[in-house]
Amino acid sequence: MRGVLVLTVLAGCGRVAFDSGERDAGSATDSSADARLCTFGACSTPAIVPGPVNSGDTDWSPTISGDTLVLVFESNRSGNADLYEAQRTTTAEPFGAPRALDTLNTGAVEGAAHLLADGLSMYFSTDRLATGRQVFKASRGSIAADWDPPSEVSSLRGIDISGPSVTADLQEMVYSYALPLEEDIGRAVLVGGEYVDQGPFPELNSSSLDGWPTISADGLTIYYESTRTGDYELYSATRPTRSAPFAPPELMSFTSPSFNEADPEISKDGQFLVFTSDGPVQPGNFNLYMVTRPCL
């Protein structure tokens, strides 16, 4: 773990210090820049993710690489919930046409992925096993290469979880528990090279659906969807240290009571949030949206 610092964030926009590097389990080197202190500006108005990414069908659960040049998401465009990937060469360009990740997709559900910073490894959810939704991990040798066949995170088998998101040092994973009438946010920690479930976050969960979390690189801010006010809306919460409980969650400033917002994913530097919404640009369809906030 390299220089993780304490952060304070204001309901979606604020002052933050973070380490945006992510390391593969067992690796001794980071894949990104040093930690730095940032004061965030105001969040932008939500906009459709640029490029021919959205299909007019259900497109959701986006995740992005550390340089925001690789986008992976879940889509029903083929008639099944599968993983797709789109890339771009610079942040000034739109994403290119997405391709189905055939080496990862099966006849089951694959989705809710989380890319590591270098875009060469990711965790995702699938119900291909008879034990409910499980977390798998996949890797590849380069951005241009196909993904290698995935392997199960077997230490979490049988818990029925989805939507994994990990901290930069890989020491903590957050996810959704599938419960009979709702979903809750839980976590696992890395012990002896394996993730061990630690149970739910009571301070984040309500009697409604609370799930599909994404955690900041340093593990001190969490973003997630909740139906506690009726529609799906996005919330964020912070904590001073990883051993401390999160403060009460706050509604993110750009959410709209007229639409559903869900499946958030924060970029490794905290300046770019992608999520799913059924409006306002294309009301009625769930598409991939984004907001940005500058580092002042």
Side-chain angles (χ1 to χ4, degrees), residues 152-169:
E152 181 193 4
V153 181
S154 58
S155 60
L156 298 176
R157 180 183 298 171
I159 304 177
D160 201 2
I161 55 179
S162 62
S165 176
V166 297
T167 54
D169 59 9

Side-chain angles (χ1 to χ4, degrees), residues 43-73:
C43 291
S44 66
T45 300
I48 286 282
V49 170
V53 173
N54 292 301
S55 64
D57 206 321
T58 300
D59 302 299
W60 52 8
S61 298
T63 179
I64 47 178
S65 59
D67 56 13
T68 71
L69 300 183
V70 179
L71 173 73
V72 172
F73 61 97

